Amino acid sequence: MEHNYSHFSLDIGLADNEAFVLAFLQFSKVRSYKPGSFIYRQGIPFQHFYLILEGLAEIYHMNQKGIKKSVSIVGHGNLMGMSSLDNFEHHDTVQCKTHVLAAIMPRENITLWSREMLVTLICVQTNKSRHLLQQLICAHTESAASRIARLLLEMTANSYRYFTSLDIPSQVTFSKQEIAELVGVTRERVQQILHEMERSGAIHLDKRAIIYYPNRLLQYVDC
Amino acid sequence: MRSNLYVLGDSLKNYERFTKTFFSLSKPIIFQAGECIVSMGDYFSGFYLIRSGLVEVRYTNENGQTKILQLHNGPFVIGASCIDNHQNMLDYNCLTPVEAAYMPKEKFQQWDFEMLLDFSKIQTDKVRILNQQIQDAQNYSNEQRVLRILWEYALTIHTTQMVPLHIDGLKKQTIADLLSITNVQLSSILRRLEKKGYLLSHSEKQGITILKLYSESETTYGT
């Protein structure tokens, strides 16, 4: 079986689909967001489609008790807001982690789309379902260490399959709390696992920065 | 109130035109209880619209661990992976006789704009349900989720939401597999729910009677 999908950074394949991106741009406006600003917020009705052209943003959900749960990190090529077609409210909030450049299209412009664009949209949604299925399955079968290793690997490459060299170290900046929320374990457990990884030489902790060696970290990925 | 996450009823109720056109391009097909519509690892040769019957959607990993992701007890459509030729990730097993319609993928070329737009909404619904299922697993206890599954199942077989609601035909093993818990854990949860007055009885032969439903005012269930 070939399901090596990324879980935490939802690379859904539009990054390479230049024809779709160019067509989407015809019907949309490009907007720049500063780090920390919101692309959309939970509870507000969907009005637009959003295509991220550059930068990273965090998707999170706030439950009724006001507890924040990170869902994923999205970047270049991610299309969001499809629920606008059904007049749904935003179920999550999307907040920029870096500067973000996004193309924003009013939902009614979908009537101007070509057949090819709609087929691409169906493929995007189908691909998203596969990502989510894999995430759901792995939540039950994958170890916490594997989920953390996958998160770190996916943050610097859209998917760890795309690393050009697995021997060159890479770096991500994450707090233990952020990792805990994304992988669904306690902060203490994250700390314990990161120290185990550091002892094995897979990572090096430098304050909030985590320097890691992809080939060594891959040994922890078990799903 | 949220839509069903684990036991899905009529997923196509808002897509009458889509369903009608689909039937005009397809041929009827019957599956017996115990048959698999499409197996994990196979490629879809076309689309299936399931008209009636109970279908479980099951994943099995390389170690033989298995999980039911959803039960469908009403119309739904599968086969989008035939558009981009991806391997199917799941087993679709018939738990009862199933009436379906099959459309070879070549007919996809005949879908008009409205049909494609409807299908992209159907795929978006699937993404939304999977997203909520992931969040559900993080936010709610197994006890809450068991009651949720029973309630969702009851909604697909009864026209009323008035309690008491009696349900049968749902095996304990199926509920346990939906939540990735053991039969022993499930029995203990059912006993607790009985003590708390949510259930009257629970046995494989006589079924389960739901006495009380979770309401959003009583618990934090529902977002």
Side-chain angles (χ1 to χ4, degrees):
Chain A
M1 291 290 292
E2 36 165 271
H3 23 87
N4 227 349
Y5 305 105
S6 55
H7 301 175
F8 299 102
S9 66
L10 284 179
D11 163 36
I12 50 168
L14 274 180
D16 299 327
N17 193 331
E18 201 181 346
F20 180 89
V21 174
L22 288 173
F24 189 91
L25 285 168
Q26 284 181 3
F27 307 117
S28 53
K29 283 184 180 172
V30 176
R31 190 178 156 188
S32 171
Y33 294 87
K34 289 179 182 169
S37 58
F38 296 93
I39 296 179
Y40 58 75
R41 288 173 191 256
Q42 188 177 328
I44 309 233
F46 277 101
Q47 299 290 344
H48 298 90
F49 282 15
Y50 304 86
L51 177 63
I52 296 193
L53 303 169
E54 211 178 279
L56 288 174
E58 179 187 14
I59 301 185
Y60 63 84
H61 175 77
M62 205 73 89
N63 70 13
Q64 284 190 329
K65 291 176 183 167
I67 298 167
K68 177 185 153 186
K69 294 271 183 188
S70 288
V71 178
S72 62
I73 306 289
V74 291
H76 174 43
N78 203 281
L79 183 65
M80 302 175 296
M82 272 75 84
S83 288
S84 64
L85 296 173
D86 295 326
N87 295 319
F88 269 84
E89 287 181 351
H90 289 288
H91 190 64
D92 305 303
T93 294
V94 179
Q95 190 173 16
C96 301
K97 282 182 81 72
T98 64
H99 274 99
V100 168
L101 196 64
I104 304 169
M105 190 194 86
R107 62 178 177 176
E108 54 275 14
N109 283 1
I110 197 167
T111 53
L112 306 171
W113 283 24
S114 64
R115 191 180 191 281
E116 288 68 33
M117 283 187 83
L118 272 184
V119 173
T120 303
L121 178 64
I122 291 168
C123 291
V124 164
Q125 292 303 73
T126 307
N127 213 9
K128 250 188 193 176
S129 292
R130 294 188 195 111
H131 281 289
L132 293 169
L133 273 174
Q134 191 67 7
Q135 201 176 333
L136 198 59
I137 290 159
C138 283
H140 294 279
T141 57
E142 190 179 25
S143 67
S146 172
R147 273 179 281 162
I148 291 173
R150 190 189 292 279
L151 171 68
L152 299 180
L153 289 164
E154 288 177 7
M155 284 308 103
T156 37
N158 279 328
S159 165
Y160 53 84
R161 287 172 294 161
Y162 303 135
F163 273 97
T164 47
S165 169
L166 292 170
D167 295 317
I168 299 170
S170 198
Q171 162 178 299
V172 286
T173 305
F174 262 128
S175 72
K176 293 182 181 72
Q177 187 59 43
E178 283 173 321
I179 296 174
E181 285 173 12
L182 277 162
V183 302
V185 295
T186 63
R187 192 181 163 283
E188 291 70 26
R189 181 77 183 119
V190 170
Q191 188 156 344
Q192 198 183 7
I193 291 168
L194 289 179
H195 282 150
E196 275 170 32
M197 287 176 171
E198 192 169 29
R199 275 198 297 275
S200 75
I203 64 168
H204 171 63
L205 299 170
D206 185 5
K207 294 179 185 164
R208 269 172 64 99
I210 302 169
I211 300 156
Y212 67 88
Y213 297 85
N215 57 349
R216 297 178 204 168
L217 207 51
L218 270 173
Q219 294 166 11
Y220 286 91
V221 177
D222 62 20
C223 182
Chain B
M1 187 61 71
R2 300 181 321 171
S3 53
N4 285 14
L5 304 182
Y6 300 97
V7 188
L8 305 175
D10 186 355
S11 307
L12 302 175
K13 67 180 169 195
N14 298 322
Y15 304 103
E16 205 179 316
R17 186 185 177 275
F18 176 89
T19 310
K20 218 172 164 179
T21 314
F22 191 101
F23 287 141
S24 71
L25 296 169
S26 59
K27 59 176 186 184
I29 183 166
I30 303 279
F31 294 95
Q32 300 305 319
E35 270 192 272
C36 187
I37 300 171
V38 189
S39 300
M40 195 174 149
D42 286 352
Y43 288 89
F44 277 100
S45 58
F47 301 87
Y48 293 89
L49 194 154
I50 312 302
R51 305 180 77 155
S52 65
L54 187 59
V55 177
E56 66 164 30
V57 184
R58 184 182 283 270
Y59 173 82
T60 307
N61 73 6
E62 289 153 1
N63 305 323
Q65 286 174 298
T66 184
K67 173 172 171 53
I68 298 177
L69 290 158
Q70 280 158 355
L71 288 177
H72 286 271
N73 201 13
F76 70 106
V77 65
I78 53 171
S81 293
C82 77
I83 302 171
D84 54 4
N85 285 318
H86 265 81
Q87 268 182 311
N88 170 38
M89 292 170 69
L90 305 159
D91 286 321
Y92 291 88
N93 298 321
C94 303
L95 300 182
T96 63
V98 164
E99 279 184 354
Y102 170 73
M103 183 200 294
K105 67 176 173 185
E106 294 72 33
K107 297 264 175 88
F108 180 65
Q109 296 304 325
Q110 296 177 29
W111 290 21
D112 61 14
F113 188 89
E114 294 301 320
M115 187 86 174
L116 290 170
L117 190 57
D118 276 349
F119 194 55
S120 64
K121 288 180 188 175
I122 291 166
Q123 292 303 98
T124 302
D125 286 342
K126 285 186 186 175
V127 169
R128 196 165 34 235
I129 287 167
L130 286 170
N131 247 326
Q132 286 182 8
Q133 217 184 87
I134 290 168
Q135 286 170 17
D136 201 70
Q138 290 177 347
N139 287 326
Y140 301 108
S141 68
N142 283 336
E143 195 176 302
Q144 286 171 308
R145 291 164 72 210
V146 166
L147 205 54
R148 174 82 190 182
I149 287 167
L150 296 175
W151 176 52
E152 286 187 1
Y153 184 76
L155 290 187
T156 66
I157 57 172
H158 292 283
T159 48
T160 171
Q161 292 186 26
M162 298 284 284
V163 285
L165 281 174
H166 184 75
I167 58 174
D168 52 19
L170 185 61
K171 290 183 179 169
K172 279 187 184 176
Q173 188 61 55
T174 304
I175 303 173
D177 283 352
L178 269 165
L179 295 174
S180 294
I181 58 175
T182 63
N183 259 330
V184 177
Q185 285 173 306
L186 177 64
S187 296
S188 149
I189 289 169
L190 289 172
R191 276 197 299 274
R192 279 205 302 274
L193 288 171
E194 199 175 333
K195 269 186 194 168
K196 289 180 180 177
Y198 284 104
L199 304 178
L200 177 65
S201 59
H202 59 89
S203 75
E204 205 82 301
K205 280 183 186 168
Q206 290 164 3
I208 299 171
T209 303
I210 304 171
L211 287 179
K212 205 163 62 161
L213 298 176
Y214 269 128
S215 72
E216 283 168 79
S217 55
E218 264 182 289
T219 70
T220 56
Y221 211 98
T223 55

